[in-house]
Amino acid sequence: MVSFRFPFLFSQPPRPPLSATADISSRSFSATTAAVSVAAALSFAGAGVALSQNSDNPFLQRALNFFASNRNGFTPMWGSLSLSENWSPVTESRTGTSFPAVLKDSKRLLGIGLRRKAVLGLKNIDVYAYGVYADDSDVKKFLSDKNGDLSDDLMESDVSMTIRLQIVYGRLSIRSVRSAFQESVGSRLNKFGGGSDNKELLQRFTSQFKDEYKIPKGSIIDLCRERGYVLRTMIDGEEVGSIQSKVLCRSILDLYIGNESFDPKAKEDVQLNLASLLGK
C-alpha cells in the first residue's frame, strides 16, 4: 500500500506562560521539541517550494498564501501516514476529546471543532466536539483539478466523508439533538434550495433520532456522506438510517465546514490541511 507525506495541522489556543517549575520540568524535552520544529519548518518550506513552482496557477498561489498566513496559528503534526501504520489520536484542546487520526483504514482526519450552545442567552455549554474526515483516495482525486474554494468544493463533491460527533455534555437528550437538527439542518435546506420536498426530507432525517436512543457523555454520532450522495447516520456504531440526497449532504457538511459553521477553526483546519496537500 502506498505511503505518502501528509501534514496534520490543527488550530491551537494560545498557551499561557510556563511557571518556573514547569519550565524546569520541560527542559528534558527540549532536544525533541527542537528536532520536531526543524522538521516541521523544512516540511513547510518543501510544500511552499512545490506550490511556488506552480505559480502560473492562481489557485495554487492562493493556497500558498493561505498556508503561509495561517502557519503561526496552527501546530503541524508531520508524519508519513501509511494506512497500515498506527497513529496517535488528535485532541480537541477545549474539551480534551480525542479523535482517531484514521477511520476505517481509509478516512483521514482533516479538522476538529466544538459545538457550543447558549442557554437562556446567559451561558454557553459545550455540547459535542466533532472531527471532519475524508476518504484518502477520494481526496487525492478531488485535489487533482481544483480551481476554487477548497472547503466549498469539498462540500459539493462526491468525496466520501464522515462528521464524527462526540458528546461532551452529560445531560444531552436525543430529543434535544433532534430539535437542534430540525432548526439547523432546516435552515440549510432552505439556503441550498431543497425545494418543496424540504419538509419531508428534514422529517426523514430527524426521525432517525428516536427517543429510544440514549446518548450519555462519550457517545458517538457519525454522519457519513457516502459516494452517490448517500447520508448514513450511526449512533455508537449502530446504523439508524440512510438517505440519498445531495442537498441534505450539502446541508449537513455546511454546519461543520461552511462559511457560517459551528466552529470556524474546523473550517480553517480543513482548508489548511487540503492546501498543504496541493504540492504533494
Side-chain angles (χ1 to χ4, degrees):
M1 188 170 290
V2 177
S3 172
F4 64 98
R5 302 293 296 180
F6 186 97
F8 276 141
L9 301 106
F10 295 99
S11 50
Q12 301 291 337
R15 295 183 179 180
L18 288 174
S19 65
T21 302
D23 181 59
I24 292 173
S25 64
S26 68
R27 288 176 185 173
S28 61
F29 297 97
S30 61
T32 301
T33 302
V36 171
S37 299
V38 170
L42 289 174
S43 299
F44 177 82
V49 169
L51 289 170
S52 298
Q53 289 173 345
N54 292 279
S55 58
D56 56 327
N57 185 321
F59 174 68
L60 290 179
Q61 190 58 50
R62 289 197 301 272
L64 175 59
N65 293 338
F66 178 87
F67 192 82
S69 65
N70 283 278
R71 60 180 172 175
N72 290 330
F74 292 78
T75 300
M77 300 170 64
W78 306 90
S80 175
L81 292 189
S82 167
L83 294 181
S84 63
E85 296 179 27
N86 185 21
W87 291 94
S88 299
V90 178
T91 300
E92 199 289 313
S93 60
R94 292 160 290 183
T95 62
T97 306
S98 63
F99 291 87
V102 179
L103 279 184
K104 296 183 178 180
D105 299 328
S106 65
K107 289 183 179 178
R108 311 296 184 96
L109 182 61
L110 292 179
I112 50 179
L114 176 63
R115 172 66 163 127
R116 311 191 81 191
K117 184 72 174 178
V119 178
L120 301 177
L122 300 175
K123 179 182 179 182
N124 281 325
I125 62 171
D126 297 339
V127 182
Y128 56 79
Y130 62 90
V132 180
Y133 294 82
D135 182 81
D136 177 64
S137 59
D138 284 357
V139 166
K140 286 187 284 187
K141 294 176 184 176
F142 163 77
L143 290 173
S144 63
D145 60 350
K146 287 300 101 194
N147 293 297
D149 181 274
L150 285 174
S151 59
D152 281 351
D153 285 353
L154 185 63
M155 288 187 287
E156 285 290 338
S157 73
D158 198 21
V159 170
S160 178
M161 297 183 65
T162 292
I163 307 295
R164 168 159 289 193
L165 318 180
Q166 295 201 51
I167 308 302
V168 297
Y169 181 58
R171 299 174 62 184
L172 187 66
S173 69
I174 197 71
R175 182 175 299 180
S176 297
V177 172
R178 186 169 61 238
S179 176
F181 275 138
Q182 284 175 339
E183 178 183 351
S184 58
V185 177
S187 68
R188 269 28 178 224
L189 286 173
N190 291 331
K191 174 182 176 180
F192 298 118
S196 58
D197 295 334
N198 277 0
K199 186 175 181 179
E200 180 185 353
L201 187 58
L202 181 61
Q203 172 62 23
R204 288 178 61 197
F205 172 67
T206 57
S207 65
Q208 296 176 141
F209 299 91
K210 297 179 173 62
D211 290 340
E212 63 194 72
Y213 297 117
K214 307 302 179 184
I215 48 171
K217 183 177 181 179
S219 297
I220 294 175
I221 299 175
D222 285 332
L223 304 172
C224 310
R225 180 182 68 181
E226 299 180 351
R227 295 182 187 91
Y229 302 102
V230 174
L231 181 70
R232 193 174 305 280
T233 305
M234 305 184 74
I235 299 178
D236 287 332
E238 177 185 349
E239 181 177 337
V240 299
S242 63
I243 302 172
Q244 197 282 328
S245 170
K246 183 175 181 178
V247 69
L248 178 60
C249 290
R250 178 69 166 84
S251 298
I252 293 292
L253 291 174
D254 191 72
L255 297 176
Y256 301 101
I257 58 173
N259 290 329
E260 298 178 358
S261 59
F262 292 142
D263 189 345
K265 291 182 179 179
K267 176 182 172 70
E268 292 173 0
D269 286 349
V270 171
Q271 286 272 38
L272 189 59
N273 278 307
L274 290 175
S276 70
L277 281 177
L278 287 170
K280 301 301 177 183

